[in-house]
Amino acid sequence: MRILEFIVGIIFAFICTFIGGYLYTQFVVNLDFFSDFKMLFSTDIGSKVIAIGSLLNIPLVYFLLNKYKYDLGKGVIFGLIVLVIISQLI
């Protein structure tokens, strides 16, 4: 059961980062996330969008730790580490 919660935490991290990146590109950069996706990563804005989008994971980790869901919180933190590595490789 602990492995399942860990994997769900990783999925939560990816979803929150995607939502945060989408909101950032829509309201701050004024680009369409889906049609300008290739342009975001070709101009090196994509890694910045991932980094700013992952800021939504901070309240998620705080909420999970306050509810004593440690395995979910560990999964979210591990998902953030994976996203940082992926964004640096792109």
Side-chain angles (χ1 to χ4, degrees):
M1 190 60 127
R2 295 177 62 154
I3 299 295
L4 182 64
E5 289 180 355
F6 185 77
I7 293 172
V8 169
I10 294 172
I11 293 170
F12 280 167
F14 288 155
I15 291 171
C16 278
T17 302
F18 177 76
I19 291 171
Y22 177 76
L23 292 174
Y24 178 71
T25 56
Q26 289 294 316
F27 297 117
V28 177
V29 183
N30 293 326
L31 294 173
D32 187 25
F33 186 76
F34 297 107
S35 66
D36 297 329
F37 187 76
K38 191 171 188 176
M39 190 270 306
L40 285 173
F41 286 99
S42 66
T43 59
D44 201 32
I45 298 174
S47 61
K48 294 175 180 75
V49 169
I50 291 174
I52 291 173
S54 62
L55 290 175
L56 281 181
N57 290 319
I58 295 171
L60 178 63
V61 170
Y62 179 75
F63 174 76
L64 290 173
L65 292 179
N66 278 338
K67 295 294 180 180
Y68 300 105
K69 302 288 184 180
Y70 296 120
D71 292 327
L72 283 171
K74 290 177 189 176
V76 171
I77 292 171
F78 183 75
L80 280 172
I81 293 170
V82 169
L83 284 169
V84 166
I85 292 170
I86 289 172
S87 69
Q88 293 301 315
L89 294 177
I90 294 176

